[in-house]
Amino acid sequence: HAKDHLDKGTWAGATLLTKEMLDEKYSFLRLKLHEAEILWAENDFMGATRLAKHIVDKEEANEDGPNKDFLSMAMLRCGQWMAKSRTEGARNVMDRYLKPAVSLSRGLEEDAPVGAAEAH
């Protein structure tokens, strides 16, 4: 199935994994999130959401504290997939994944140095 997606050009915007990404602390969970994205693209919605939930749980339990940027992205992806596939109730998706993702993102914006937003 993955070859079909490549032939259709759906991978044109895929992120190339660099050595720096593989060396960083969160590389394993980032790779797992990419795996979940592939499962979703292959219409394995249950597998994708199950893996995304596992990634969120692992990152929340990180002994060194969660990587807020990554956790926010994973929660948002997980919540979106659960809402689309209706694998969880709407209230649970909002309370457990989407609202915390937004809160984490807002916290990251507040922590950004002055002028950082203007650089983009």
Side-chain angles (χ1 to χ4, degrees):
H1 293 337
K3 185 179 181 324
D4 295 337
H5 293 290
L6 288 171
D7 293 342
K8 293 177 186 172
T10 57
W11 290 95
T15 303
L16 294 176
L17 298 177
T18 64
K19 183 176 182 329
E20 291 80 22
M21 284 179 69
L22 294 174
D23 288 341
E24 70 184 35
K25 185 176 183 179
Y26 298 98
S27 62
F28 178 74
L29 290 179
R30 288 184 191 276
L31 289 172
K32 296 308 268 181
L33 188 57
H34 283 293
E35 181 182 339
E37 290 169 346
I38 291 168
L39 291 172
W40 185 265
E42 292 178 339
N43 297 321
D44 182 358
F45 306 128
M46 292 300 290
T49 54
R50 189 175 333 115
L51 183 53
K53 283 172 69 171
H54 175 74
I55 291 165
V56 168
D57 292 343
K58 284 292 226 186
E59 187 56 29
E60 285 180 326
N62 187 335
E63 295 171 1
D64 299 325
N67 176 323
K68 291 179 183 178
D69 184 38
F70 176 73
L71 181 56
S72 174
M73 178 180 59
M75 288 178 133
L76 181 61
R77 184 68 38 98
C78 188
Q80 288 172 330
W81 289 346
M82 289 175 151
K84 286 181 182 177
S85 63
R86 298 178 187 229
T87 55
E88 297 271 338
R91 173 64 52 200
N92 186 48
V93 171
M94 285 294 293
D95 292 344
R96 174 69 178 95
Y97 298 97
L98 299 179
K99 285 181 181 178
V102 170
S103 293
L104 283 170
S105 293
R106 285 187 179 143
L108 290 168
E109 289 173 2
E110 291 169 7
D111 292 344
V114 174
E118 296 161 6
H120 295 288

